[in-house]
Amino acid sequence: MNPLKRLGRRRASVLSLLAVAALVTPGAATAAPDAVRASTLGAQAAQSGRYFGTAVAAGRLGDGTYTGILDREFNSVTPENEMKWDTIERSRGSFNFGPGDQIANRAASHGQRLRGHTLVWHSQLPSWVSSIRDANTLRSVMNNHITQVMNHYKGKVYAWDVVNEAFADGGSGQMRSSVFRDVLGTGFIEQAFRTARSADPAAKLCYNDYNIENWSDAKTQGVYRMVRDFKARGVPIDCVGLQSHFGAGGPPSSFQTTLSNFAALGVDVQITELDIAQASTAAYANTVRACLNVARCTGITVWGIRDSDSWRSGENPLLFDRSGTKKPAYQSTLTALGGSAAAQRTGAPSPRSATALPSSFRWSSSGPLVAPKPDATHRIAGIKDPSVVYYNGKYHVFASTASSSGYNLVYLSFSDWSQAGSATHHYLDRTAIGAGYRAAPQVFYNTQQRLWYLVYQTGNASYSTNPDISNPNGWSAPRNFYSSMPDIIRQNIGNGYWVDMWVICDSANCYLFSSDDNGHLYRSQTTVGQFPNGFTNTVIAAQDSKYALFEASNVYKVQGSNQYLLLVEAIGSDGRRYFRSWTSSSLAGSWSPLAASESNPFAKSSNVTFPAGTWTRDISHGEMIRAGYDQTLTIPACKLQYLYQGKDPNAGGDYDNLPWRLGLLTQTNSTC
Ligand code: XIL
């Protein structure tokens, strides 16, 4: 972002040459390795804040091949049968936690999360329960079971499948007949969730079912209506588990839509029992990608380790064969998670993801979602330059606060975009970040150092660190990346400003990009080990005429591909802000145009629709909603979303006092 400067009036004549101007990359492009990649499913999923789990059978824990794979690959476990009613409370009031404890204790000592499965289910239910005909008796039996089991596993189970498989197959969209529904009525699910919340308020409470993956299925719709109703009435529910026992074709084409529609209700979604007949590479990769493309899809569990461990063993539906060797679907799963092909043991070729960005974009915009919240000591005209990560169930947004009296930073967090406007604004000038000129923040988590970084401009390129993103007071005082402005910038900046610092790392190096409001994008480099020190050797990464390559650059890794994406904000012939885009196979490489012209922009008022009303004609400084939150800045390849600053088209006057607001673009021409 460009502080302290008026940019309102532009002359079209300056801009007519811009659209075709090429970007140059001085110096030899070094072959940069891919972004940080892990070689196991769990570690790779963790890079985007997700888990990758498996069902575990207590009876197999003596098998060294089995436990070897379990501990190497998975960071979450679900007991396959050991926490079901017929194991835990085979006769009324007599609880057998032995097999469940075996799995729970082992998971705890191996740092694996535990999903509790399952409290109320019509199947694997002892006959003393299914033969109850009296509603009061059944209610107290059900509540007692939930309470005793949840109490026993308090602090150990991260999420419980409170109710399993309560809906009927077929076209009714209604609940299935079971002793619970037949004796207690359809309200039994609500009753179970309320009891569960009071038994262990810290556990996530999930509804879990199969055949709810296809959006248009009546069963899916029935479950969706129930969850919507629960959320509307405040019945406690935190997550929906989609079992995902798929046939050979894998997930239905609407799977991602289903995940995101549930998530939009304000619940997490999880793939809880994944297995796919014949385990084709594409079917597994498609399933994983659907989850990664939905911010609130928080984890994937496969229903067993080796084909021989599967309840569908005749269909070979899992990721390891009978001898424990990785199958091709293992590799496609790891690759879809963004992982390393180098981990391959089988020698089979690594399936190359076909996922790539389109060469033109269309978007739909929200209305203004975040406006300044001035208070007695913060006079703020505009909220600008947002940086955003989704972490731990929340969007964490950092932004510049602007007014003619100066610039500083603000932090807000919320679980849902519908809550963005009501979130509390924490002004960071009262923290160690301090008062004075601070602007254009960028936030990410450094996985090596286990620290959050906030990068921003102060005249120099500065940063603060914080072990806890949700604690606004945890940020350190500013430090500078450079001792002073690098010579190459000094020589090229002209009358511009040194702005918009941006850090991105691959597995070997970190790069610091910045702009000069004078047609140059700069890049400095250091090693991952030296970061945040050692940024030397600054070069011009791209150049064009001043307004064609103005400021607010973003650089991302595109998930599931070898592409990096560069966005740079330009000023159009109409004087309005818009974005151009380029791609490269390496962060230090040369950038090829993707949607890089005024007539085929990455995002401009001309390719954005405004269903809620055209509140801005500027699509200006912002950030993509990432697939993860670490230093690799990985974004999904599909259904992109971009948080940007816009303003009332009629607003004018002092640039620093313009009424910038934040809005969200959602890509509408995604083909995947
Ligand atoms: C299956 C187990 O894998 C089998 O070992 C057992 O015999 C039957 O149950 N939906 C569920 C799981 O929620 O609990 C089921 O697990 C598979 C279908």
Side-chain angles (χ1 to χ4, degrees):
M1 79 108 226
N2 176 319
L4 315 172
K5 195 174 181 202
R6 293 164 202 256
L7 297 161
R9 284 161 288 280
R10 295 287 156 217
R11 284 201 316 279
S13 57
V14 186
L15 303 160
S16 51
L17 303 172
L18 304 181
V20 292
L23 297 183
V24 299
T25 305
T30 48
D34 268 326
V36 175
R37 298 196 296 193
S39 58
T40 65
L41 301 169
Q44 188 58 42
Q47 293 207 0
S48 69
R50 295 176 171 83
Y51 65 82
F52 203 98
T54 179
V56 165
R60 290 191 158 82
L61 292 175
D63 173 343
T65 306
Y66 183 87
T67 53
I69 301 172
L70 170 61
D71 298 336
R72 186 186 72 219
E73 298 288 343
F74 299 99
N75 52 13
S76 173
V77 303
T78 307
E80 188 173 356
N81 290 298
E82 293 73 1
M83 292 189 185
K84 292 175 181 173
W85 200 314
D86 65 352
T87 299
I88 287 198
E89 196 186 3
R90 176 166 283 286
S91 59
R92 185 170 177 175
S94 143
F95 288 83
N96 166 30
F97 292 113
D101 285 355
Q102 215 188 323
I103 293 178
N105 295 337
R106 193 179 188 289
S109 66
H110 286 78
Q112 292 152 327
R113 291 187 188 205
L114 185 62
R115 291 194 87 260
H117 177 75
T118 173
L119 296 166
V120 180
W121 186 26
H122 66 274
S123 183
Q124 296 182 269
L125 184 69
S127 55
W128 71 265
V129 184
S130 53
S131 57
I132 297 173
R133 291 288 166 266
D134 174 64
N136 287 336
T137 309
L138 185 59
R139 193 174 304 110
S140 74
V141 159
M142 181 181 84
N143 289 340
N144 184 53
H145 182 79
I146 293 170
T147 306
Q148 300 286 336
V149 178
M150 288 186 77
N151 270 340
H152 181 82
Y153 288 111
K154 218 176 242 183
K156 293 191 171 154
V157 167
Y158 144 81
W160 271 105
D161 291 332
V162 177
V163 175
N164 196 31
E165 301 184 353
F167 276 72
D169 291 313
S172 76
Q174 302 298 311
M175 288 178 200
R176 72 168 70 232
S177 164
S178 72
V179 67
F180 300 108
R181 193 212 66 175
D182 299 348
V183 175
L184 297 177
T186 54
F188 86 89
I189 303 184
E190 173 171 351
Q191 171 81 73
F193 275 85
R194 289 191 186 280
T195 305
R197 180 66 97 221
S198 32
D200 182 358
K204 298 251 189 205
L205 308 181
C206 306
Y207 176 80
N208 192 53
D209 214 329
Y210 66 94
N211 282 355
I212 57 166
E213 294 82 12
N214 186 3
W215 175 241
S216 59
D217 281 359
K219 187 169 174 182
T220 310
Q221 293 296 310
V223 173
Y224 179 83
R225 278 192 299 271
M226 176 189 75
V227 177
R228 191 176 56 191
D229 168 59
F230 277 18
K231 293 302 285 185
R233 290 190 299 112
V235 179
I237 182 166
D238 306 305
C239 33
V240 173
L242 296 94
Q243 291 185 7
S244 306
H245 296 293
F246 291 133
S253 57
S254 63
F255 187 44
Q256 187 179 315
T257 301
T258 306
L259 293 173
S260 51
N261 286 347
F262 274 114
L265 293 175
V267 289
D268 289 342
V269 290
Q270 295 159 359
I271 296 173
T272 50
E273 303 183 11
L274 179 62
D275 49 18
I276 306 179
Q278 313 314 332
S280 89
T281 53
Y284 265 100
N286 289 339
T287 307
V288 169
R289 271 191 223 116
C291 178
L292 262 61
N293 287 337
V294 175
R296 289 198 79 156
C297 181
T298 57
I300 300 175
T301 298
V302 287
W303 205 239
I305 296 179
R306 299 162 300 194
D307 285 334
S308 47
D309 304 317
S310 171
W311 73 313
R312 301 167 69 190
S313 61
E315 297 172 289
N316 298 318
L318 294 176
L319 299 177
F320 296 86
D321 69 16
R322 277 147 217 273
S323 64
T325 302
K326 294 170 183 170
K327 294 165 60 180
Y330 170 93
Q331 200 54 55
S332 74
T333 299
L334 184 61
T335 305
L337 288 167
S340 169
Q344 202 162 279
R345 282 198 327 202
T346 59
S350 154
R352 222 338 154 252
S353 164
T355 317
L357 296 170
S359 54
S360 68
F361 294 85
R362 286 199 305 277
W363 308 89
S364 170
S365 177
S366 70
L369 298 175
V370 179
K373 292 190 177 170
D375 64 21
T377 51
H378 298 89
R379 195 177 75 70
I380 293 159
I383 184 157
K384 308 193 60 184
D385 318 321
S387 181
V388 55
V389 287
Y390 187 78
Y391 172 74
N392 225 353
K394 282 192 165 162
Y395 291 99
H396 301 263
V397 173
F398 295 82
S400 309
T401 54
S403 77
S404 51
S405 53
Y407 286 76
N408 207 278
L409 303 175
V410 66
Y411 163 71
L412 51 151
S413 69
F414 43 86
S415 55
D416 207 289
W417 289 107
S418 62
Q419 310 292 307
S422 50
T424 302
H425 288 202
H426 300 275
Y427 294 108
L428 300 181
D429 62 341
R430 295 291 159 80
T431 72
I433 286 176
Y437 171 43
R438 284 105 177 81
Q442 183 214 5
V443 69
F444 63 88
Y445 184 67
N446 182 308
T447 47
Q448 281 84 12
Q449 300 172 13
R450 296 176 179 270
L451 273 181
W452 292 93
Y453 273 77
L454 194 65
V455 174
Y456 48 93
Q457 67 195 45
T458 54
N460 201 321
S462 305
Y463 66 92
S464 296
T465 60
N466 188 343
D468 176 5
I469 192 174
S470 65
N471 176 14
N473 293 316
W475 292 103
S476 63
R479 270 178 235 136
N480 293 338
F481 286 112
Y482 303 98
S483 53
S484 60
M485 184 188 284
D487 287 344
I488 190 168
I489 303 182
R490 199 177 297 285
Q491 288 152 13
N492 287 279
I493 192 166
N495 293 325
Y497 295 88
W498 188 27
V499 295
D500 299 334
M501 289 71 187
W502 180 272
V503 170
I504 178 170
C505 308
D506 58 30
S507 58
N509 296 302
C510 293
Y511 300 85
L512 173 43
F513 289 87
S514 59
S515 295
D516 67 0
D517 283 356
N518 194 35
H520 305 97
L521 177 70
Y522 301 99
R523 184 187 75 233
S524 312
Q525 181 173 338
T526 189
T527 62
V528 163
Q530 273 185 289
F531 177 84
N533 303 310
F535 276 117
T536 53
N537 189 26
T538 306
V539 297
I540 296 177
Q543 64 185 359
D544 203 331
S545 57
K546 174 171 175 160
Y547 299 130
L549 201 79
F550 199 62
E551 57 182 1
S553 71
N554 293 180
V555 186
Y556 301 103
K557 172 72 171 32
V558 181
Q559 191 167 50
S561 80
N562 293 325
Q563 263 185 330
Y564 293 91
L565 174 70
L566 166 66
L567 308 180
V568 183
E569 184 177 341
I571 302 176
S573 47
D574 56 357
R576 303 291 177 182
R577 303 299 185 106
Y578 74 102
F579 281 98
R580 305 171 67 201
S581 63
W582 296 261
T583 61
S584 173
S585 58
S586 130
L587 284 169
S590 55
W591 296 97
S592 319
L594 182 68
S597 66
E598 209 176 333
S599 55
N600 179 29
F602 179 76
K604 187 180 190 328
S605 55
S606 56
N607 66 344
V608 176
T609 58
F610 290 88
T614 307
W615 62 278
T616 177
R617 291 217 292 274
D618 291 281
I619 307 293
S620 182
H621 196 144
E623 228 182 78
M624 206 78 89
I625 308 302
R626 303 176 211 158
Y629 49 82
D630 69 12
Q631 70 279 355
T632 67
L633 308 189
T634 303
I635 57 165
C638 299
K639 298 232 169 67
L640 301 179
Q641 290 196 298
Y642 195 84
L643 183 65
Y644 72 101
Q645 60 176 25
K647 62 170 166 55
D648 178 350
N650 299 317
D654 181 359
Y655 177 77
D656 302 318
N657 256 346
L658 289 172
W660 295 99
R661 307 284 181 263
L662 305 185
L664 183 68
L665 301 180
T666 299
Q667 189 192 354
T668 55
N669 70 327
S670 180
T671 53
C672 46

